[in-house]
Amino acid sequence: MLILDWMKSNVISVPPDTSLLHCRKLFKDNHIGRLPVVDADKVVVGLISASDINAFAPQRTTGLEILEVLDILGETMAKQIMTVDPVTINYKGTVEQAAQRMIEKRVACLPVVNDEEKLVGILTEWDIFKALVSISGAAMPEGVEMAFKLENKRGTLREILDLLKEYGVRISTVLSIISDDGMRQVKIRFWSEDAEAENKALEKLKDHAGLRYWARGGEVYLRDKPDFKL
């Protein structure tokens, strides 16, 4: 999945000399949590978050002290508390690469830049979640989801796909990874306008030795119950 398809392109950004008071207003008015800080050429030089401002502002409650806090926020510039040279990602990357970078760098947001390092978008952890839900088919209201643990050899997945083809059901998504034990973890989502065909395919695959769970209508059914040893 391309970053281009999931990033927010109309990014609100601020120059380094923007006051924290104005930044806070932008956060509130636009319902956002982060602001890229850019120079005159739109090159990303920093990143500031609503939590940065909350952590900086003195926690006071009286009317006079609130005015003092507003004065402090009005006098303090974004460049004084921003994260300098934040982690960014090029727009030509994929969502998967972005997610991996977020994990490695322990960040929840990536300004998206072009080849000149100029800001063209922003990608947050919520955009990653949305992409995951989309690719997994979890947002689809109908159909059956089934997960299997298969031997990592040729033909094991084909056997399942051929069976679904035999019953004439439509395959929405197929996700496959190799787990640490060398086995192949496969998740398949399928549906059919013919309810009987969908039910027959489900019942047939319930007998598959590699079945881990199946789900339909928001209910998940595990083949084997875990032993939590409480």
Side-chain angles (χ1 to χ4, degrees):
M1 297 181 291
L2 293 174
I3 289 173
L4 280 171
D5 295 332
W6 294 96
M7 73 179 192
K8 296 178 179 67
S9 56
N10 298 321
V11 188
I12 299 172
S13 61
V14 295
D17 291 332
T18 305
S19 72
L20 298 189
L21 190 62
H22 184 61
C23 289
R24 191 171 74 166
K25 186 176 187 303
L26 289 175
F27 288 138
K28 182 178 180 180
D29 291 348
N30 296 281
H31 306 287
I32 56 177
R34 301 171 185 87
L35 285 168
V37 182
V38 299
D39 64 14
D41 296 319
K42 295 298 182 182
V43 173
V44 178
V45 296
L47 185 70
I48 189 169
S49 69
S51 59
D52 291 334
I53 295 179
N54 291 336
F56 174 81
Q59 302 300 307
R60 300 175 179 173
T61 57
T62 69
L64 181 60
E65 289 169 338
I66 288 175
L67 293 177
E68 292 175 353
V69 169
L70 293 178
D71 285 341
I72 293 171
L73 294 180
E75 295 169 357
T76 307
M77 304 293 106
K79 63 184 178 183
Q80 294 176 252
I81 71 166
M82 71 182 186
T83 298
V84 179
D85 295 328
V87 181
T88 62
I89 195 163
N90 189 277
Y91 74 94
K92 290 179 288 190
T94 66
V95 172
E96 293 86 349
Q97 290 172 333
Q100 185 63 34
R101 180 165 296 186
M102 287 182 181
I103 293 171
E104 291 175 350
K105 302 297 183 179
R106 297 180 179 273
V107 296
C109 165
L110 291 172
V112 182
V113 298
N114 63 12
D115 294 334
E116 289 76 42
E117 298 298 322
K118 295 183 179 182
L119 182 70
V120 296
I122 194 166
L123 193 74
T124 70
E125 71 270 50
W126 289 107
D127 299 316
I128 301 292
F129 294 154
K130 291 175 184 176
L132 175 61
V133 169
S134 175
I135 195 174
S136 69
M140 297 181 64
E142 300 178 350
V144 177
E145 178 180 314
M146 304 191 81
F148 303 87
K149 189 171 185 178
L150 310 173
E151 289 187 69
N152 184 24
K153 64 181 183 180
R154 183 175 299 178
T156 53
L157 177 56
R158 172 56 58 185
E159 175 188 353
I160 295 174
L161 298 179
D162 285 346
L163 187 145
L164 294 174
K165 181 179 179 181
E166 176 184 336
Y167 284 98
V169 299
R170 300 185 183 186
I171 298 174
S172 304
T173 59
V174 179
L175 300 178
S176 175
I177 62 169
I178 305 301
S179 53
D180 293 339
D181 60 3
M183 299 289 283
R184 181 182 293 275
Q185 302 275 0
V186 177
K187 185 181 83 69
I188 300 175
R189 192 173 185 92
F190 62 89
W191 67 281
S192 176
E193 296 172 346
D194 183 344
E196 183 178 357
E198 183 178 294
N199 287 333
K200 287 182 177 179
L202 171 60
E203 292 303 317
K204 183 67 175 179
L205 286 174
K206 280 183 184 180
D207 295 329
H208 194 286
L211 178 68
R212 299 197 66 205
Y213 75 85
W214 65 275
R216 178 194 259 173
E219 296 292 333
V220 178
Y221 304 90
L222 302 179
R223 162 168 276 186
D224 301 314
K225 293 184 178 180
D227 181 8
F228 293 115
K229 297 180 180 179
L230 300 178

